[in-house]
Amino acid sequence: MKKEIFDEQGRSKGFYSSKNRVNDLTGKDWVFWTRSVINKQYPVNLQHKLRSLHGGQKPPHLCRDLIKIFTKQGQRVFDPFMGVGGILLGAALCKRQALGIELNNQWIDIYKEVCKKENIEAKSGKRIANEGSRVSSGALTGL
């Protein structure tokens, strides 16, 4: 069954098929994201200055857009190299659950501080593998 989807201004975004098991995108959105170069300017936000202490931080809104291409709302996203949590923040922006692993406690602490300042729920981390590793996980909501 196909359903036409509209944006906030009432313009058609194309049709969504209930048979789509990959994501929540319309066919038109899928073609755009899979045939385009991302040239969108992403905002400097979500405690950018604090997250910039990590040299490899990614814009959470970019992560959100990429996550939406390959997941459905409510699904879980896994980031094995979490850093300061750009992917986890992106997952929160599009209502996905997220699980991240990071070996450096400093980056996990920054992620948790960002969540606190941005009113995003972040579950407490737990140790795995060795003394330097913790897992930070949870359904990230509240943006």
Side-chain angles (χ1 to χ4, degrees), residues 4-112:
E4 190 168 12
I5 306 295
F6 298 91
D7 66 14
E8 295 82 23
Q9 288 78 35
R11 295 180 300 235
S12 176
K13 292 180 66 177
F15 291 86
Y16 174 78
S17 172
S18 60
K19 294 179 182 179
N20 179 346
R21 297 182 311 165
V22 176
N23 55 42
D24 293 324
L25 300 179
T26 65
K28 189 176 178 181
D29 287 336
W30 176 256
V31 169
F32 171 79
W33 283 107
T34 58
R35 311 251 178 186
S36 299
V37 173
I38 299 172
N39 61 3
K40 180 178 176 181
Q41 291 255 341
Y42 287 93
V44 176
N45 62 3
L46 295 173
Q47 305 300 318
H48 176 77
K49 186 174 181 180
L50 179 58
R51 290 184 300 104
S52 290
L53 294 172
H54 184 280
Q57 66 99 1
K58 296 162 283 311
H61 284 83
L62 167 63
C63 297
R64 174 205 61 198
D65 289 348
L66 295 171
I67 289 166
K68 285 171 68 174
I69 295 170
F70 297 104
T71 64
K72 290 182 162 287
Q73 214 173 67
Q75 288 185 321
R76 181 164 291 170
V77 175
F78 175 63
D79 183 0
F81 307 103
M82 180 181 130
V84 292
I87 290 174
L88 276 66
L89 294 167
L93 293 171
C94 59
K95 298 182 174 88
R96 272 53 167 188
Q97 296 180 1
L99 172 68
I101 297 175
E102 176 56 53
L103 296 177
N104 187 326
N105 291 338
Q106 176 187 1
W107 306 139
I108 294 174
D109 292 341
I110 288 174
Y111 162 72
K112 288 182 178 181

